[in-house]
Amino acid sequence: MTKISPEVEEMMQIEPVLAVSADVSFSSNCFPKYKLGPDNQIVEVPKEDDRGPSLKEVVERETMQLSEQHKRLSVRDLASKFDKNLAAAAKLADEAKLREVASLEGHVLLKKLRDALESLRGRMTGRNKEDVEKAISMVEALAVKLTQKEGELIQEKFEVKKLANFLKQASEDAKKLVNQEKSFACAEIESARAVVQRFGEALDEQERTSENSKTQDVEELVEEVQEARRIKRSHQPSKVIEMELELRALRIQIREKSIFSFKLQKELAKSKRAEENKSRLYAFDGSETIGSCLRILPCSDNAPHLSKCSIQWYRLSSDDSQEEIILGANKSIYAPEPFDVGRLIQAQILSNGHKVTVTTAGHIDPAAGLQSYVDTLMRKSNSEFNVVISQMNGQDYTSRSTHVFNVGKTRIKLCRGWITKARDIYSTSMQLCGFRGDANAPAKALFWQPRKGLSFVLTFESEQERNAAIILARKYAHDCNVTLAGPDDQA
């Protein structure tokens, strides 16, 4: 049984209990409750609720709170705040000062609380003394945490101060740069103003000079006009007009005579070749223009049948000085193509060791309206022609369905609907010319080899479309640095 002396009660009443900071965290929300039992025995009141969290949980919670607080006050976040506004640094510094004051007050309060608990421990015995010692250990743990927190706050204060100095220096450097750029801009503006002023003065001087020169030129022109009028008045105008009319008439006569002379020369050449062909066994039948066909016909009963002869067609230069073989043209009929315009066409017939040569009376002329049709097509990005495939790779093509022959600026395509037979860009392996073999309509037929190993014979709807397709394809190929011709043609 424990007795409480009056002196102890008086001493406990005399010593005031100091207030504890609200930041202090205990294992429970209040001190243990006691009551006096019979014979003045101290009896602990049983707790209704479960015991509070253990000291380990309290330390972990406090550590987590300090870690979160450290994250909130980390250097990175402080740097972002200082980037937004330099005034935030001063505000954080003020907060740090307030925390120092609060921390100092906390140390004082904890020290007073510990002293009070020490004094109580000397007067208590038994379980009460254990509770007091437990409270003292909790106060000491809080003091250690508070000291750690103060160290962290001091470190943060140092970083805040360092950041504030850095931001202040950066602000001063920025002001210096702004002032420097401003001075540079002012100097450039002044320089530009000086240049503009010089240009203005030069323009004014040029205007004055041009006005003076214009006045001088006008005066000189007036003098020249007056001199010309004087010369004209001094001569007889009627004779001058008569001379001009005579000169004009002479020019017209010379032009007409040159045209007539050219026609006479052409007729003379035709008659000469016709006389030469009269003495021969064969002659040409057909118009000497592209879009038509030249056919070899026998002129005498003594002429061997063409089926028993070997035939080869040639194209000659305008002066008959150069002979070019037309490879593949070895039938009795040949349809001239755009390459033959302005040239002579010759056929050599070989029979029983005897060679007979037949030559056109004149040069091959272009077809009427072909050039205007080609000019119209060239305004488009590509041109399409309806064709029928007569042969493919040298073999007759059974299907007579209509295909589309597309001549573009960079490639040629042959297709039927969505099905593409061939599509190739212009290259050195591509060949295109009029068909030189045996066909139903050779003037409408075209030979096209997109690449080695693939060839087509296409029949167009008209002779004009066939020749226009050849001209367009060769023009576009020439733009791509490719010469498009027939087999072994000397393009």
Side-chain angles (χ1 to χ4, degrees), residues 160-180:
V160 167
K161 187 175 181 181
K162 185 177 179 181
L163 272 174
N165 294 332
F166 174 75
L167 290 173
K168 186 176 180 181
Q169 183 65 32
S171 178
E172 292 177 357
D173 293 341
K175 289 180 180 179
K176 290 180 181 179
L177 287 174
V178 169
N179 294 331
Q180 187 177 2

PDB file of all heavy atoms in Angstrom, residues 160-180:
ATOM      1  N   VAL A 160      17.991  27.119 -50.188  1.00  0.00           N
ATOM      2  CA  VAL A 160      17.117  28.230 -50.602  1.00  0.00           C
ATOM      3  C   VAL A 160      17.929  29.493 -50.785  1.00  0.00           C
ATOM      4  O   VAL A 160      17.755  30.252 -51.749  1.00  0.00           O
ATOM      5  CB  VAL A 160      16.001  28.426 -49.566  1.00  0.00           C
ATOM      6  CG1 VAL A 160      15.277  29.746 -49.789  1.00  0.00           C
ATOM      7  CG2 VAL A 160      15.023  27.284 -49.637  1.00  0.00           C
ATOM      8  N   LYS A 161      18.838  29.736 -49.836  1.00  0.00           N
ATOM      9  CA  LYS A 161      19.673  30.927 -49.945  1.00  0.00           C
ATOM     10  C   LYS A 161      20.568  30.860 -51.174  1.00  0.00           C
ATOM     11  O   LYS A 161      20.755  31.858 -51.892  1.00  0.00           O
ATOM     12  CB  LYS A 161      20.521  31.062 -48.678  1.00  0.00           C
ATOM     13  CG  LYS A 161      21.307  32.361 -48.592  1.00  0.00           C
ATOM     14  CD  LYS A 161      22.013  32.477 -47.260  1.00  0.00           C
ATOM     15  CE  LYS A 161      22.801  33.797 -47.165  1.00  0.00           C
ATOM     16  NZ  LYS A 161      23.501  33.917 -45.886  1.00  0.00           N
ATOM     17  N   LYS A 162      21.098  29.656 -51.440  1.00  0.00           N
ATOM     18  CA  LYS A 162      21.949  29.482 -52.612  1.00  0.00           C
ATOM     19  C   LYS A 162      21.163  29.722 -53.897  1.00  0.00           C
ATOM     20  O   LYS A 162      21.625  30.400 -54.828  1.00  0.00           O
ATOM     21  CB  LYS A 162      22.520  28.063 -52.602  1.00  0.00           C
ATOM     22  CG  LYS A 162      23.512  27.799 -53.721  1.00  0.00           C
ATOM     23  CD  LYS A 162      24.070  26.398 -53.584  1.00  0.00           C
ATOM     24  CE  LYS A 162      25.061  26.097 -54.709  1.00  0.00           C
ATOM     25  NZ  LYS A 162      25.592  24.723 -54.610  1.00  0.00           N
ATOM     26  N   LEU A 163      19.928  29.181 -53.940  1.00  0.00           N
ATOM     27  CA  LEU A 163      19.082  29.395 -55.104  1.00  0.00           C
ATOM     28  C   LEU A 163      18.707  30.860 -55.270  1.00  0.00           C
ATOM     29  O   LEU A 163      18.667  31.401 -56.377  1.00  0.00           O
ATOM     30  CB  LEU A 163      17.804  28.560 -54.987  1.00  0.00           C
ATOM     31  CG  LEU A 163      17.880  27.146 -55.537  1.00  0.00           C
ATOM     32  CD1 LEU A 163      16.604  26.411 -55.218  1.00  0.00           C
ATOM     33  CD2 LEU A 163      18.109  27.178 -57.031  1.00  0.00           C
ATOM     34  N   ALA A 164      18.435  31.511 -54.138  1.00  0.00           N
ATOM     35  CA  ALA A 164      18.084  32.929 -54.210  1.00  0.00           C
ATOM     36  C   ALA A 164      19.247  33.742 -54.766  1.00  0.00           C
ATOM     37  O   ALA A 164      19.048  34.624 -55.618  1.00  0.00           O
ATOM     38  CB  ALA A 164      17.696  33.432 -52.820  1.00  0.00           C
ATOM     39  N   ASN A 165      20.459  33.426 -54.327  1.00  0.00           N
ATOM     40  CA  ASN A 165      21.626  34.141 -54.855  1.00  0.00           C
ATOM     41  C   ASN A 165      21.819  33.854 -56.348  1.00  0.00           C
ATOM     42  O   ASN A 165      22.132  34.755 -57.138  1.00  0.00           O
ATOM     43  CB  ASN A 165      22.889  33.727 -54.083  1.00  0.00           C
ATOM     44  CG  ASN A 165      22.850  34.184 -52.628  1.00  0.00           C
ATOM     45  OD1 ASN A 165      22.205  35.196 -52.305  1.00  0.00           O
ATOM     46  ND2 ASN A 165      23.497  33.459 -51.736  1.00  0.00           N
ATOM     47  N   PHE A 166      21.597  32.580 -56.705  1.00  0.00           N
ATOM     48  CA  PHE A 166      21.744  32.229 -58.124  1.00  0.00           C
ATOM     49  C   PHE A 166      20.720  32.958 -58.980  1.00  0.00           C
ATOM     50  O   PHE A 166      21.040  33.504 -60.042  1.00  0.00           O
ATOM     51  CB  PHE A 166      21.592  30.710 -58.282  1.00  0.00           C
ATOM     52  CG  PHE A 166      21.593  30.250 -59.710  1.00  0.00           C
ATOM     53  CD1 PHE A 166      22.772  30.205 -60.434  1.00  0.00           C
ATOM     54  CD2 PHE A 166      20.416  29.884 -60.329  1.00  0.00           C
ATOM     55  CE1 PHE A 166      22.777  29.791 -61.743  1.00  0.00           C
ATOM     56  CE2 PHE A 166      20.418  29.480 -61.646  1.00  0.00           C
ATOM     57  CZ  PHE A 166      21.596  29.423 -62.342  1.00  0.00           C
ATOM     58  N   LEU A 167      19.470  32.977 -58.486  1.00  0.00           N
ATOM     59  CA  LEU A 167      18.421  33.670 -59.246  1.00  0.00           C
ATOM     60  C   LEU A 167      18.687  35.161 -59.313  1.00  0.00           C
ATOM     61  O   LEU A 167      18.426  35.811 -60.331  1.00  0.00           O
ATOM     62  CB  LEU A 167      17.054  33.396 -58.629  1.00  0.00           C
ATOM     63  CG  LEU A 167      16.538  31.968 -58.785  1.00  0.00           C
ATOM     64  CD1 LEU A 167      15.260  31.790 -57.994  1.00  0.00           C
ATOM     65  CD2 LEU A 167      16.300  31.666 -60.250  1.00  0.00           C
ATOM     66  N   LYS A 168      19.190  35.698 -58.240  1.00  0.00           N
ATOM     67  CA  LYS A 168      19.498  37.130 -58.239  1.00  0.00           C
ATOM     68  C   LYS A 168      20.595  37.431 -59.260  1.00  0.00           C
ATOM     69  O   LYS A 168      20.507  38.401 -60.021  1.00  0.00           O
ATOM     70  CB  LYS A 168      19.931  37.553 -56.831  1.00  0.00           C
ATOM     71  CG  LYS A 168      20.148  39.043 -56.674  1.00  0.00           C
ATOM     72  CD  LYS A 168      20.474  39.391 -55.244  1.00  0.00           C
ATOM     73  CE  LYS A 168      20.692  40.904 -55.072  1.00  0.00           C
ATOM     74  NZ  LYS A 168      21.045  41.248 -53.675  1.00  0.00           N
ATOM     75  N   GLN A 169      21.626  36.549 -59.277  1.00  0.00           N
ATOM     76  CA  GLN A 169      22.698  36.752 -60.231  1.00  0.00           C
ATOM     77  C   GLN A 169      22.186  36.591 -61.667  1.00  0.00           C
ATOM     78  O   GLN A 169      22.558  37.343 -62.576  1.00  0.00           O
ATOM     79  CB  GLN A 169      23.827  35.740 -59.962  1.00  0.00           C
ATOM     80  CG  GLN A 169      25.052  35.909 -60.876  1.00  0.00           C
ATOM     81  CD  GLN A 169      25.748  37.232 -60.630  1.00  0.00           C
ATOM     82  OE1 GLN A 169      25.750  37.735 -59.518  1.00  0.00           O
ATOM     83  NE2 GLN A 169      26.324  37.796 -61.684  1.00  0.00           N
ATOM     84  N   ALA A 170      21.298  35.570 -61.862  1.00  0.00           N
ATOM     85  CA  ALA A 170      20.726  35.374 -63.200  1.00  0.00           C
ATOM     86  C   ALA A 170      19.892  36.566 -63.626  1.00  0.00           C
ATOM     87  O   ALA A 170      19.911  36.982 -64.787  1.00  0.00           O
ATOM     88  CB  ALA A 170      19.877  34.103 -63.221  1.00  0.00           C
ATOM     89  N   SER A 171      19.141  37.117 -62.668  1.00  0.00           N
ATOM     90  CA  SER A 171      18.338  38.303 -62.993  1.00  0.00           C
ATOM     91  C   SER A 171      19.231  39.477 -63.386  1.00  0.00           C
ATOM     92  O   SER A 171      18.948  40.195 -64.353  1.00  0.00           O
ATOM     93  CB  SER A 171      17.462  38.669 -61.794  1.00  0.00           C
ATOM     94  OG  SER A 171      16.717  39.826 -62.050  1.00  0.00           O
ATOM     95  N   GLU A 172      20.323  39.632 -62.647  1.00  0.00           N
ATOM     96  CA  GLU A 172      21.239  40.730 -62.998  1.00  0.00           C
ATOM     97  C   GLU A 172      21.883  40.504 -64.370  1.00  0.00           C
ATOM     98  O   GLU A 172      21.996  41.435 -65.171  1.00  0.00           O
ATOM     99  CB  GLU A 172      22.322  40.842 -61.914  1.00  0.00           C
ATOM    100  CG  GLU A 172      21.786  41.326 -60.555  1.00  0.00           C
ATOM    101  CD  GLU A 172      22.874  41.342 -59.491  1.00  0.00           C
ATOM    102  OE1 GLU A 172      23.998  40.924 -59.817  1.00  0.00           O
ATOM    103  OE2 GLU A 172      22.588  41.774 -58.361  1.00  0.00           O
ATOM    104  N   ASP A 173      22.258  39.212 -64.654  1.00  0.00           N
ATOM    105  CA  ASP A 173      22.837  38.922 -65.965  1.00  0.00           C
ATOM    106  C   ASP A 173      21.833  39.173 -67.079  1.00  0.00           C
ATOM    107  O   ASP A 173      22.173  39.690 -68.151  1.00  0.00           O
ATOM    108  CB  ASP A 173      23.304  37.464 -66.016  1.00  0.00           C
ATOM    109  CG  ASP A 173      24.475  37.213 -65.066  1.00  0.00           C
ATOM    110  OD1 ASP A 173      25.137  38.196 -64.673  1.00  0.00           O
ATOM    111  OD2 ASP A 173      24.720  36.036 -64.724  1.00  0.00           O
ATOM    112  N   ALA A 174      20.570  38.801 -66.816  1.00  0.00           N
ATOM    113  CA  ALA A 174      19.531  39.040 -67.823  1.00  0.00           C
ATOM    114  C   ALA A 174      19.345  40.521 -68.074  1.00  0.00           C
ATOM    115  O   ALA A 174      19.193  40.968 -69.216  1.00  0.00           O
ATOM    116  CB  ALA A 174      18.212  38.411 -67.372  1.00  0.00           C
ATOM    117  N   LYS A 175      19.371  41.308 -66.989  1.00  0.00           N
ATOM    118  CA  LYS A 175      19.245  42.753 -67.171  1.00  0.00           C
ATOM    119  C   LYS A 175      20.411  43.299 -67.983  1.00  0.00           C
ATOM    120  O   LYS A 175      20.235  44.159 -68.854  1.00  0.00           O
ATOM    121  CB  LYS A 175      19.187  43.430 -65.802  1.00  0.00           C
ATOM    122  CG  LYS A 175      17.878  43.192 -65.048  1.00  0.00           C
ATOM    123  CD  LYS A 175      17.888  43.883 -63.703  1.00  0.00           C
ATOM    124  CE  LYS A 175      16.581  43.639 -62.941  1.00  0.00           C
ATOM    125  NZ  LYS A 175      16.588  44.282 -61.612  1.00  0.00           N
ATOM    126  N   LYS A 176      21.617  42.773 -67.686  1.00  0.00           N
ATOM    127  CA  LYS A 176      22.778  43.234 -68.460  1.00  0.00           C
ATOM    128  C   LYS A 176      22.631  42.873 -69.941  1.00  0.00           C
ATOM    129  O   LYS A 176      22.912  43.687 -70.822  1.00  0.00           O
ATOM    130  CB  LYS A 176      24.053  42.599 -67.900  1.00  0.00           C
ATOM    131  CG  LYS A 176      24.458  43.129 -66.536  1.00  0.00           C
ATOM    132  CD  LYS A 176      25.737  42.446 -66.050  1.00  0.00           C
ATOM    133  CE  LYS A 176      26.151  42.955 -64.660  1.00  0.00           C
ATOM    134  NZ  LYS A 176      27.372  42.282 -64.175  1.00  0.00           N
ATOM    135  N   LEU A 177      22.144  41.620 -70.207  1.00  0.00           N
ATOM    136  CA  LEU A 177      21.956  41.222 -71.597  1.00  0.00           C
ATOM    137  C   LEU A 177      20.908  42.068 -72.296  1.00  0.00           C
ATOM    138  O   LEU A 177      21.061  42.465 -73.453  1.00  0.00           O
ATOM    139  CB  LEU A 177      21.545  39.742 -71.660  1.00  0.00           C
ATOM    140  CG  LEU A 177      22.639  38.713 -71.370  1.00  0.00           C
ATOM    141  CD1 LEU A 177      22.049  37.316 -71.334  1.00  0.00           C
ATOM    142  CD2 LEU A 177      23.731  38.794 -72.427  1.00  0.00           C
ATOM    143  N   VAL A 178      19.812  42.350 -71.560  1.00  0.00           N
ATOM    144  CA  VAL A 178      18.767  43.192 -72.145  1.00  0.00           C
ATOM    145  C   VAL A 178      19.309  44.570 -72.472  1.00  0.00           C
ATOM    146  O   VAL A 178      19.061  45.132 -73.551  1.00  0.00           O
ATOM    147  CB  VAL A 178      17.560  43.272 -71.187  1.00  0.00           C
ATOM    148  CG1 VAL A 178      16.590  44.352 -71.646  1.00  0.00           C
ATOM    149  CG2 VAL A 178      16.853  41.937 -71.107  1.00  0.00           C
ATOM    150  N   ASN A 179      20.059  45.126 -71.530  1.00  0.00           N
ATOM    151  CA  ASN A 179      20.639  46.457 -71.790  1.00  0.00           C
ATOM    152  C   ASN A 179      21.619  46.411 -72.962  1.00  0.00           C
ATOM    153  O   ASN A 179      21.651  47.331 -73.796  1.00  0.00           O
ATOM    154  CB  ASN A 179      21.341  46.963 -70.529  1.00  0.00           C
ATOM    155  CG  ASN A 179      20.368  47.231 -69.390  1.00  0.00           C
ATOM    156  OD1 ASN A 179      19.193  47.565 -69.638  1.00  0.00           O
ATOM    157  ND2 ASN A 179      20.795  47.081 -68.145  1.00  0.00           N
ATOM    158  N   GLN A 180      22.405  45.320 -73.021  1.00  0.00           N
ATOM    159  CA  GLN A 180      23.368  45.199 -74.113  1.00  0.00           C
ATOM    160  C   GLN A 180      22.663  45.077 -75.462  1.00  0.00           C
ATOM    161  O   GLN A 180      23.021  45.752 -76.429  1.00  0.00           O
ATOM    162  CB  GLN A 180      24.261  43.983 -73.879  1.00  0.00           C
ATOM    163  CG  GLN A 180      25.413  43.860 -74.868  1.00  0.00           C
ATOM    164  CD  GLN A 180      26.307  42.669 -74.542  1.00  0.00           C
ATOM    165  OE1 GLN A 180      26.029  41.942 -73.604  1.00  0.00           O
ATOM    166  NE2 GLN A 180      27.354  42.501 -75.315  1.00  0.00           N
TER     167      GLN A 180
END
